[in-house]
Coordinates of all heavy atoms in Angstrom, one line a residue:
L692 N 93.5 68.7 21.8 CA 92.7 67.6 21.3 C 93.6 66.3 21.0 O 93.1 65.3 20.8 CB 92.0 68.0 19.9 CG 90.9 69.0 20.0 CD1 90.7 69.7 18.6 CD2 89.6 68.3 20.4
G693 N 95.0 66.5 20.9 CA 95.8 65.4 20.5 C 96.1 65.4 19.0 O 95.7 66.4 18.4
A694 N 96.6 64.3 18.5 CA 97.1 64.4 17.1 C 96.0 64.3 16.1 O 96.2 64.7 15.0 CB 98.0 63.2 17.0
E695 N 94.8 63.8 16.5 CA 93.7 63.7 15.5 C 92.4 64.0 16.1 O 92.2 63.9 17.3 CB 93.7 62.2 15.1 CG 94.1 62.0 13.7 CD 93.6 60.6 13.2 OE1 93.8 59.7 14.0 OE2 93.3 60.4 12.0
A696 N 91.5 64.6 15.3 CA 90.2 65.0 15.8 C 89.2 64.7 14.6 O 89.6 64.7 13.5 CB 90.2 66.4 16.3
V697 N 87.9 64.7 15.0 CA 86.8 64.6 14.1 C 86.1 65.9 14.1 O 85.7 66.4 15.1 CB 85.9 63.4 14.4 CG1 84.7 63.5 13.5 CG2 86.6 62.1 14.3
D698 N 85.8 66.4 12.9 CA 84.9 67.6 12.8 C 83.5 67.0 12.7 O 83.1 66.5 11.7 CB 85.3 68.4 11.5 CG 84.2 69.5 11.3 OD1 83.5 69.9 12.2 OD2 84.1 70.0 10.1
A699 N 82.7 67.3 13.7 CA 81.3 66.7 13.7 C 80.5 67.4 12.7 O 79.5 66.7 12.3 CB 80.7 67.1 15.2
L700 N 80.9 68.5 12.1 CA 80.0 69.2 11.2 C 80.1 68.5 9.8 O 79.2 68.5 9.0 CB 80.2 70.6 11.1 CG 79.8 71.5 12.3 CD1 80.3 72.9 12.2 CD2 78.3 71.5 12.3
T701 N 81.3 67.9 9.5 CA 81.4 67.2 8.2 C 81.7 65.7 8.4 O 81.7 65.0 7.3 CB 82.7 67.8 7.5 OG1 83.8 67.7 8.4 CG2 82.4 69.3 7.1
G702 N 82.0 65.3 9.5 CA 82.4 63.9 9.8 C 83.8 63.6 9.4 O 84.2 62.5 9.5
S703 N 84.6 64.6 8.9 CA 85.9 64.3 8.4 C 86.9 64.3 9.6 O 86.8 65.0 10.6 CB 86.4 65.2 7.4 OG 86.2 66.5 7.7
R704 N 88.1 63.6 9.4 CA 89.1 63.5 10.4 C 90.2 64.6 10.1 O 90.4 64.8 8.9 CB 89.8 62.1 10.3 CG 89.1 61.1 11.1 CD 89.9 59.8 11.1 NE 89.1 58.9 12.0 CZ 89.5 58.2 13.0 NH1 90.8 58.3 13.4 NH2 88.8 57.3 13.7
L705 N 90.7 65.2 11.1 CA 91.7 66.2 10.9 C 93.0 65.7 11.5 O 93.0 65.3 12.6 CB 91.3 67.5 11.6 CG 90.6 68.5 10.6 CD1 89.2 68.1 10.3 CD2 90.6 69.8 11.3
H706 N 94.1 65.8 10.8 CA 95.4 65.4 11.4 C 96.1 66.6 11.9 O 96.6 67.6 11.2 CB 96.2 64.8 10.3 CG 95.5 63.6 9.7 ND1 95.5 62.4 10.4 CD2 94.8 63.4 8.6 CE1 94.8 61.5 9.6 NE2 94.3 62.1 8.6
L707 N 96.1 66.7 13.2 CA 96.6 67.9 13.8 C 98.1 67.9 14.0 O 98.7 68.9 14.6 CB 95.8 68.2 15.2 CG 94.4 68.3 15.0 CD1 93.7 68.4 16.3 CD2 94.0 69.6 14.1

Side-chain angles (χ1 to χ4, degrees):
L692 293 159
E695 248 192 324
V697 172
D698 173 20
L700 290 173
T701 55
S703 53
R704 281 189 174 228
L705 264 76
H706 301 283
L707 300 173

